[in-house]
Amino acid sequence: MNYVEEIVSNKILKVDVLCYWQMSGHINSKEGVNSRYLPKGQNILVFNFGDSVEQLSLSQNSDFKTPFFIFPAIKTSTIINQRGKIDLFGISFIGEGLYKLIQQPISELISEFPNTLRGKYEALYSELSENNFLDKVNIAENFLLENLNQKIESPVFHKAIEVIHEAKGVIKVSEITDKVHVSERQLQRLFKTRLGISPKDYCKIIRVNNYLEFILIKNKSVDWMELVVEYDYHDQPHLINEVKSISKLSPKKLISFRDTLYHRYIGE
């Protein structure tokens, strides 16, 4: 299995788009391979040129049946099953990037595209097909430059995202509203419309991801009290419960598996 990515460097786009990526290969197993996707606070636009991808859940499973789909920002991890031919090309959006492109409330989007936009993205899918990764990147970047509407940017939302990242997610919603000078209700509405999740959930995701990066980079036994203090948790159980609420695994188990899509493919 191969995974490649290209970090966005275009000055106009890099505020809204993190990277372009591609997964390719073949999984012979009839049962396929399950990978855990951890929330990153990103909305992802995926073009599938291979076999169908299935999202597994406790209540029901669902296939991404269309050749292109949106994988929205999520609050807790989900399991993705892949089998057969794998050929995915994706665009990972940060902040309000996908909202600027789709120009519809992100909280109302599900895996299928709005019918009003389907024709435009069918044409893009056809243009991307049969090209190599770098050519796909160029095609996608030109499409984004033409269609991503910078005029609908929200300075308040953008500032709120900056504040959260500067604090590594260790900040209360009331503190964010004080810094960006809006009411909590206004901030909630902005996040739901432009990102798809609440500011509280986004803070938790950023905090947990910073925590995970901290312990993955350290490569030695973890000082739990150091982490509790660094990331402003009440105590060790609070830290562990919050990680489990995001990943559905304890911190130790998550690290031992390293079974996210990113960790599964980045080393191959």
Side-chain angles (χ1 to χ4, degrees):
M1 188 66 63
N2 297 309
Y3 175 87
V4 291
E5 69 177 28
E6 179 80 14
I7 301 296
V8 172
S9 58
N10 184 284
K11 290 182 179 180
I12 296 173
L13 295 177
K14 66 180 182 179
V15 173
D16 301 306
V17 187
L18 176 64
C19 68
Y20 311 98
W21 53 265
Q22 181 172 276
M23 290 181 186
S24 58
H26 199 279
I27 297 175
N28 294 318
S29 167
K30 184 178 180 181
E31 294 76 21
V33 172
N34 290 347
S35 301
R36 187 178 303 274
Y37 177 79
L38 295 183
K40 297 287 186 182
Q42 300 170 9
N43 287 293
I44 306 175
L45 173 56
V46 182
F47 296 86
N48 186 5
F49 304 98
D51 291 329
S52 63
V53 177
E54 186 178 13
Q55 181 179 353
L56 309 181
S57 68
L58 295 176
S59 56
Q60 61 180 8
N61 300 342
S62 61
D63 286 334
F64 297 108
K65 295 179 179 178
T66 55
F68 49 89
F69 55 87
I70 292 167
F71 195 81
I74 55 176
K75 297 187 291 184
T76 189
S77 71
T78 188
I79 304 296
I80 304 296
N81 179 269
Q82 296 169 287
R83 63 173 72 88
K85 180 184 177 183
I86 310 300
D87 189 357
L88 302 174
F89 176 78
I91 307 172
S92 294
F93 293 89
I94 49 179
E96 58 187 339
L98 183 63
Y99 175 78
K100 289 181 183 179
L101 180 66
I102 303 295
Q103 298 176 45
Q104 295 188 29
I106 302 302
S107 59
E108 297 176 8
L109 294 176
I110 53 175
S111 59
E112 292 190 11
F113 259 77
N115 287 331
T116 54
L117 300 175
R118 190 170 295 276
K120 178 184 288 189
Y121 286 88
E122 285 175 347
L124 176 58
Y125 178 88
S126 296
E127 190 175 358
L128 291 169
S129 181
E130 305 301 327
N131 279 289
N132 62 36
F133 175 63
L134 291 179
D135 287 340
K136 282 185 171 74
V137 168
N138 289 331
I139 292 167
E141 191 152 280
N142 288 332
F143 179 87
L144 294 175
L145 287 168
E146 291 176 6
N147 292 279
L148 201 147
N149 188 352
Q150 298 291 350
K151 294 180 180 179
I152 61 173
E153 177 179 324
S154 166
V156 170
F157 178 83
H158 181 70
K159 178 62 177 176
I161 292 291
E162 279 188 349
V163 166
I164 292 169
H165 280 269
E166 286 171 1
K168 297 182 180 180
V170 186
I171 189 169
K172 297 177 181 178
V173 174
S174 60
E175 294 174 320
I176 302 169
T177 59
D178 287 344
K179 288 179 180 290
V180 300
H181 310 295
V182 296
S183 69
E184 188 167 328
R185 179 175 292 182
Q186 287 175 297
L187 191 68
Q188 294 279 359
R189 189 182 304 116
L190 275 172
F191 268 74
K192 285 287 188 179
T193 300
R194 292 174 178 264
L195 183 60
I197 55 178
S198 72
K200 182 178 179 180
D201 285 326
Y202 187 71
C203 286
K204 183 191 292 187
I205 289 166
I206 297 305
R207 184 163 61 247
V208 168
N209 274 282
N210 271 279
Y211 156 79
L212 291 174
E213 288 299 319
F214 180 87
I215 58 178
L216 286 171
I217 290 170
K218 211 164 185 189
N219 273 331
K220 60 181 180 180
S221 61
V222 176
D223 182 339
W224 291 104
M225 286 312 300
E226 180 185 359
L227 291 169
V228 167
V229 172
E230 176 75 16
Y231 293 96
D232 199 27
Y233 289 100
H234 300 309
D235 48 30
Q236 184 178 330
H238 179 210
L239 181 153
I240 292 172
N241 287 335
E242 185 161 275
V243 173
K244 288 173 74 174
S245 74
I246 295 288
S247 67
K248 297 183 182 176
L249 292 173
S250 70
K252 286 184 178 179
K253 201 166 187 179
L254 178 61
I255 295 165
S256 68
F257 284 146
R258 295 194 178 193
D259 61 348
T260 67
L261 286 177
Y262 175 80
H263 284 117
R264 179 179 297 282
Y265 294 118
I266 201 68
E268 296 186 0

